[in-house]
Amino acid sequence: MSLGSLKRAVFVACVLPVLWLVGRGFTDDLGANPIEEVTHQTGIWTFRFLLATLAITPLRYLTAWSRFVPLRRMVGLFTFFYACLHFLTYGVDYWFFDLDAILDDVINRPYITAGFTGFVLLIPLAVTSTHAMVRRLGGRRWQQLHRLVYFSAGAGAAHFLWQTKIDLRRPGIYVGCLALLFGIRLWERFGSRWLSKVTR
Amino acid sequence: MLIQPPPDIASSEITEERIFLNRREFIHTAAGATLGVATGGLALGKDAEAMSLGQEEIPNVQPGPFGTDEPKNSFEDITSYNNYYEFGLDKRDPSRNAHTLTTSPWTIRVDGHVAKPADYHIEDLLKGIPLEERVYRLRCVEAWSMVIPWVGFPLSTLINRFQPTSKAKYVEFTTVLRLSEMPGARRPVLDWPYVEGLRMDEAMHPLTILAVGLYGKTLLNQNGAPIRLVVPWKYGFKSIKSIVRMRFTADQPRTAWNKATPNEYGFFANVNPTVNHPRWSQRSERRIGRFFRQPTLMFNGYDDQVASLYNGMDLRRFF
């Protein structure tokens, strides 16, 4: 498969979750509390896309398979897209952005504080995702800026864990995957140094 | 709030449940036999469907003294969006899984500080008790709410019959626990069985009912068949489902959610928009079926009736 058709295929795959959600909306399949369902679904898909974006580099480390690297920008932007939908649903839910209620939440509810932080941290990444911005910032500075994604992911993980009522199994699996991806990166960066230290 | 006079129907006028069930059975059989001749297997299929739904029309339901004229939630919403963790954690799980629960025969153990402790058959307990419709708001601690037309009777009617002693300060309720019939209870999400409790004055309050039906029909399992508590001024988790035990105690019962996370779920759990859940706001709620959230009312709008129960109590401390 050429890069072009791979990109097109991945694009379609990335749009499917939102189309599926819209379809469920039109067929009255969102249950008794549709806004809650849309909030949950857009939230979980944001986290899945975040995991997919963050999996591309570790995949290259482990398999020397760099096919997906050119797709990272697109998958990353879809993460932002689903995060926007998630935030919009929340905003609309609160009487079309009742700022007092939202501010109260952002300040006083740790899980909302974390989620909001994770979302805000994605904004500069989305804004600087174009080739022109990479050139303007310079590769090194651009890369430094884009390390924000790790903080955003950490905030997202806290958001997921803290909003769970009692059963941490499901968020635990997602956050476990994130920790694994972080671990592979850390190993790649520091592992050999650490290994040479202990084996010497 | 629509206040209606209490029903003045004599208990002698009310057909005993066992008799009306028998009568229904007779009608069913007779109708089935007649129809069966005419339509072959078709009538049988219909009957089987009705039985799998486990629902029976409840006759002679009188309007109760308390109610609301707010629009009621649909039967579909009330029976498909449930928290009943013994059948799974997702809101749709109970409606998918609860059909496995056997609700007949059903006995309720009554013990503790009570003059008449016994294992009571539910039919014997309900004998002669007039059933009323009570349209109540139900506010879940998760900040959603519904309006539900329950069929039931005041809990005080039963308590008076059991004759609790002066030592009885609380009532503790227990939900049935059958691992073979309750897939969600195989995981230790909560310390099973589910336990809830009320202070005696809360239990005796005229708003507190035991429900055996909704929308004029017997309860479906996901709503707590065959008998459940409904305490409309408290968060929904207090209204314990499928009760198999009532124990009268001197000490405050250790309730399931309170044991799981004591800083999040108190014993009293009165609906209170000024005391937030540690993780989320309780200022507003979404009425299921409506698009926008609405403000949450003190004691779920029943403050005129129940506020006096908590005079002098710090509701921030006793949340």
Side-chain angles (χ1 to χ4, degrees):
Chain A
M1 201 190 277
S2 73
L3 183 61
S5 43
L6 182 67
K7 272 191 173 169
R8 274 190 292 277
V10 171
F11 184 89
V12 171
C14 291
V15 178
L16 282 179
V18 68
L19 288 183
W20 167 72
L21 208 53
V22 170
R24 284 180 63 196
F26 276 110
T27 54
D28 202 19
D29 184 40
L30 291 171
N33 197 345
I35 298 188
E36 179 192 62
E37 179 66 10
V38 172
T39 310
H40 285 172
Q41 289 299 333
T42 51
I44 197 85
W45 279 105
T46 304
F47 208 86
R48 284 173 187 160
F49 276 99
L50 191 66
L51 287 177
T53 315
L54 290 173
I56 288 170
T57 298
L59 204 65
R60 186 173 50 124
Y61 292 153
L62 292 178
T63 63
W65 213 40
S66 52
R67 260 202 107 168
F68 289 117
V69 175
L71 297 169
R72 190 166 46 187
R73 180 213 319 268
M74 186 167 76
V75 182
L77 280 171
F78 267 108
T79 308
F80 184 63
F81 170 70
Y82 281 94
C84 286
L85 291 182
H86 185 56
F87 181 71
L88 275 173
T89 319
Y90 164 78
V92 168
D93 188 7
Y94 276 83
W95 305 289
F96 272 100
F97 297 94
D98 175 330
L99 289 183
D100 281 349
I102 290 178
L103 210 64
D104 173 51
D105 262 2
V106 169
I107 294 168
N108 296 320
R109 249 58 77 191
Y111 89 94
I112 305 252
T113 316
F116 189 73
T117 308
F119 173 63
V120 169
L121 289 177
L122 288 179
I123 296 172
L125 309 191
V127 170
T128 59
S129 64
T130 60
H131 285 298
M133 282 307 267
V134 180
R135 250 176 281 132
R136 228 168 104 184
L137 283 168
R140 216 182 123 78
R141 266 166 62 206
W142 185 89
Q143 203 170 17
Q144 276 172 347
L145 176 69
H146 277 245
R147 292 211 174 104
L148 279 180
V149 74
Y150 304 132
F151 295 98
S152 176
H159 173 64
F160 197 1
L161 287 170
W162 287 343
Q163 59 85 43
T164 304
K165 200 172 162 201
I166 190 119
D167 183 29
L168 290 173
R169 199 169 50 158
R170 194 162 110 109
I173 290 168
Y174 280 90
V175 175
C177 289
L178 182 68
L180 186 70
L181 294 176
F182 277 5
I184 296 170
R185 277 165 200 270
L186 286 173
W187 178 258
E188 179 68 20
R189 205 172 151 88
F190 303 112
S192 54
R193 211 187 300 169
W194 176 78
L195 209 62
S196 66
K197 222 179 245 173
V198 285
T199 51
R200 197 159 21 159
Chain B
M1 171 78 34
L2 185 73
I3 309 271
Q4 290 161 321
D8 51 3
I9 184 160
S11 61
S12 57
E13 282 183 45
I14 290 164
T15 315
E16 285 174 21
E17 177 150 359
R18 211 198 311 234
I19 295 173
F20 92 66
L21 286 178
N22 282 344
R23 196 171 59 196
R24 281 193 66 85
E25 206 173 299
F26 170 76
I27 296 168
H28 262 226
T29 323
T34 330
L35 271 172
V37 174
T39 60
L42 216 78
L44 248 176
K46 258 232 142 119
D47 247 8
E49 192 184 62
M51 269 161 66
S52 77
L53 282 172
Q55 279 196 294
E56 290 281 348
E57 202 86 38
I58 306 176
N60 295 325
V61 178
Q62 304 298 314
F66 301 100
T68 170
D69 46 14
E70 290 165 78
K72 289 171 245 180
N73 278 93
S74 69
F75 182 78
E76 166 75 17
D77 283 351
I78 298 170
T79 55
S80 68
Y81 191 80
N82 307 100
N83 278 327
Y84 197 161
Y85 280 9
E86 288 89 331
F87 295 109
L89 299 173
D90 192 87
K91 293 283 185 297
R92 296 201 209 191
D93 285 343
S95 60
R96 288 178 189 137
N97 300 333
H99 61 93
T100 51
L101 182 69
T102 324
T103 56
S104 178
W106 194 269
T107 52
I108 299 178
R109 170 159 296 178
V110 176
D111 59 353
H113 299 297
V114 67
K116 294 183 169 175
D119 289 350
Y120 292 94
H121 286 288
I122 190 168
E123 295 85 356
D124 299 334
L125 277 184
L126 297 179
K127 204 176 282 177
I129 297 181
L131 295 177
E132 338 168 344
E133 180 170 83
R134 300 266 185 116
V135 186
Y136 279 163
R137 293 178 287 274
L138 178 127
R139 167 61 157 80
C140 178
V141 75
E142 298 166 355
W144 55 267
S145 64
M146 290 194 190
V147 174
I148 303 175
W150 299 108
V151 176
F153 58 91
L155 172 62
S156 60
T157 310
L158 273 194
I159 293 183
N160 286 333
R161 210 184 268 189
F162 301 147
Q163 299 174 11
T165 68
S166 58
K167 280 187 191 161
K169 299 284 184 276
Y170 298 88
V171 198
E172 178 193 272
F173 303 86
T174 308
T175 295
V176 68
L177 178 63
R178 288 192 207 127
L179 296 188
S180 58
E181 297 180 0
M182 299 175 126
R186 288 168 210 156
R187 295 195 44 236
V189 184
L190 292 170
D191 184 10
W192 310 118
Y194 194 87
V195 169
E196 257 308 334
L198 294 173
R199 213 168 57 187
M200 196 54 92
D201 57 344
E202 298 173 326
M204 295 300 288
H205 194 279
L207 274 177
T208 306
I209 59 165
L210 286 172
V212 294
L214 61 86
Y215 267 115
K217 290 177 176 172
T218 53
L219 289 175
L220 289 175
N221 290 350
Q222 60 263 40
N223 294 111
I227 190 163
R228 65 168 292 168
L229 185 69
V230 180
V231 196
W233 71 91
K234 291 175 179 286
Y235 292 120
F237 68 89
K238 293 295 291 181
S239 293
I240 186 169
K241 301 186 176 88
S242 309
I243 298 166
V244 290
R245 187 178 183 191
M246 288 172 63
R247 191 165 73 97
F248 292 82
T249 65
D251 300 318
Q252 187 173 295
R254 301 219 48 214
T255 55
W257 277 103
N258 184 245
K259 270 196 281 184
T261 34
N263 64 319
E264 298 190 343
Y265 307 100
F267 174 79
F268 289 94
N270 293 316
V271 176
N272 188 339
T274 66
V275 177
N276 289 322
H277 186 280
R279 288 185 285 150
W280 59 81
S281 166
Q282 297 290 25
R283 290 202 306 190
S284 66
E285 68 200 48
R286 179 170 22 262
R287 178 66 49 82
I288 297 300
R290 287 194 193 162
F291 192 79
F292 291 112
R293 300 172 76 91
Q294 61 192 56
T296 288
L297 304 173
M298 188 66 202
F299 295 117
N300 201 21
Y302 299 98
D303 47 346
D304 283 351
Q305 289 97 331
V306 301
S308 60
L309 295 176
Y310 309 102
N311 275 342
M313 260 176 76
D314 178 0
L315 296 178
R316 293 198 156 271
R317 205 177 138 215
F318 299 100
F319 58 88

